[in-house]
Amino acid sequence: MTSATALPWRKGKRVAIIGAGPGGVSAALALHRRGYDVRLYEKSPEPKPLGGGVLLSSPVLAILREYGVDLNNFGSHTYTEFRNHRGRVRTCVPSNPRVEKAFGLKGWHYGMLRSNAFARMMECLPEGILVADHTFQSYREGSDDIQVSFTNGNRVEADILVGADGIRSGVSRQAFGEPDLFHVGLRVWLAWCDAAGLEDIPPHTAAVTHSNKYQASFFPMLHDGKPGYEWWIVEPVKENAPEPENVKAYVQGILKDWADPLPRFPDFTDFNKQIFCWNIYNRPSLKKWSRGRVVCLGDAVHPVSPYAAYGMGMAIEDGYFLGKALGQRNLSDSDSVTQGFAAFEAQRVDYVNHHVEFARKLGNLFHYLPWPLAKLRDLVFDHTGFLEKMITRDYLKDQEAMSLSLHELHVS
């Protein structure tokens, strides 16, 4: 087994990354491929992603393919419909034939277990890069280096520091101050199940459905190559609202009057192992993700609402774009670092902030309108093309443009 201390650690090439989640691992893979010496520090003995199912978009899959991830049996592509809770289709999320052709991938979203996707990424990580049992404490920046200290007393001298340590990031807090996290008033029940017993659902079909209070959704997925479904409920709650004692009965109560197949999913789900409760926090959008020799990505600077359906994917994209922006720079040169970070921020900050803020807007629109306005909203969405225009303009347009700009990831 190769240890981190046995790997090269050349001045001008040294990158210390805090947090071995999807964003940190993506940054490690992207920067290692660019010739940098990378060490990825993780506070746990072994990195494990939280949650059950996840949706990754086709540009994210193209990035993972570039890292060496085998996409065979990796996820189930989907065609997504927005419906009301009685099953009326409001709109379909269109896939872009140009994007499909460019990436050689069908559809837009792919469903899988978060743990499976993360395990595939970890398989691509060169031996020795991951340094476990290291909790970040602080950093001290010099003129041509940065000293990183850990709670176990260890220190490392690097050229740049990447904070990918999640929503309560210590790196981000030292660089930018307190994050001013706020609860967005939403809680998500994330669940998954096998496809056995649900074979009558049309293949590759996903639905995001709404009543006047709740969202309930399902997507096909693959886990370990086997078909299954991820499904979830988004509900309005106050911060620190207690969880129900009988989660299954609570969820069944929400879904009992919804159109098929949503009421059936709890019957095929192991509520001891296959459901995860997630309270949603956010922070005011930042216009800068870097300061000096420090840069942050993923939830450390942009935690997202479930209406983005894009948190893990955005973190993976962040890591890839950071590697692309830094290229093969001399990281001892502070001007070169500044220019590289600026290029990264120019590609990502406005793009990501738009999606984060649009997701928060959708959460308020679907869960917090007073009854008369909610009734009007449902009439408009049920009988006009307004929802489709919103999704195309505010959700897909920038993602499609970004996808078509990634020429190095295209197969045709």
Side-chain angles (χ1 to χ4, degrees), residues 196-381:
L198 298 165
E199 292 89 351
D200 57 319
I201 301 175
H204 306 295
T205 297
V208 178
T209 69
H210 290 92
S211 70
N212 63 348
K213 182 177 180 182
Y214 299 100
Q215 183 206 129
S217 304
F218 68 89
F219 274 72
M221 71 171 191
L222 291 179
H223 59 94
D224 295 328
K226 298 187 302 182
Y229 282 91
E230 52 182 302
W231 61 275
W232 65 87
I233 293 170
V234 183
E235 61 173 337
V237 295
K238 294 182 179 180
E239 187 175 14
N240 300 318
E243 294 184 17
E245 292 186 9
N246 188 331
V247 174
K248 184 173 183 179
Y250 179 77
V251 166
Q252 287 175 319
I254 292 173
L255 294 177
K256 63 182 176 66
D257 294 325
W258 292 57
D260 189 74
L262 278 160
R264 289 192 281 151
F265 284 110
D267 295 330
F268 297 96
T269 302
D270 183 344
F271 277 71
N272 293 315
K273 300 177 182 177
Q274 295 176 323
I275 194 162
F276 174 78
C277 185
W278 175 30
N279 276 279
I280 309 303
Y281 286 83
N282 212 294
R283 66 179 296 163
S285 295
L286 295 171
K287 298 300 290 183
K288 286 280 293 179
W289 294 353
S290 68
R291 183 177 182 181
R293 294 184 170 273
V294 178
V295 66
C296 293
L297 52 80
D299 282 353
V301 278
H302 58 78
V304 297
S305 149
Y307 275 91
Y310 197 21
M312 182 175 178
M314 276 201 278
I316 292 170
E317 288 176 358
D318 287 347
Y320 177 78
F321 275 93
L322 179 61
K324 188 175 178 180
L326 290 179
Q328 296 178 329
R329 296 172 183 270
N330 175 9
L331 300 181
S332 294
D333 183 344
S334 59
D335 288 340
S336 183
V337 169
T338 298
Q339 291 165 11
F341 287 170
F344 169 61
E345 290 169 325
Q347 293 174 319
R348 296 299 291 169
V349 172
D350 288 344
Y351 172 89
V352 169
N353 284 346
H354 167 78
H355 285 280
V356 170
E357 290 159 12
F358 179 62
R360 194 159 64 234
K361 174 183 173 182
L362 285 181
N364 290 330
L365 179 65
F366 279 111
H367 298 285
Y368 278 100
L369 286 184
W371 183 85
L373 292 178
K375 185 70 173 177
L376 177 61
R377 171 205 63 203
D378 290 343
L379 286 171
V380 170
F381 286 170

Side-chain angles (χ1 to χ4, degrees), residues 162-194:
V162 180
D165 45 339
I167 190 170
R168 289 172 174 81
S169 165
V171 178
S172 179
R173 181 179 290 108
Q174 183 174 346
F176 309 117
E178 289 298 324
D180 297 326
L181 295 175
F182 57 91
H183 191 266
V184 302
L186 297 177
R187 178 168 69 186
V188 186
W189 299 97
L190 288 164
W192 67 275
C193 61
D194 292 329

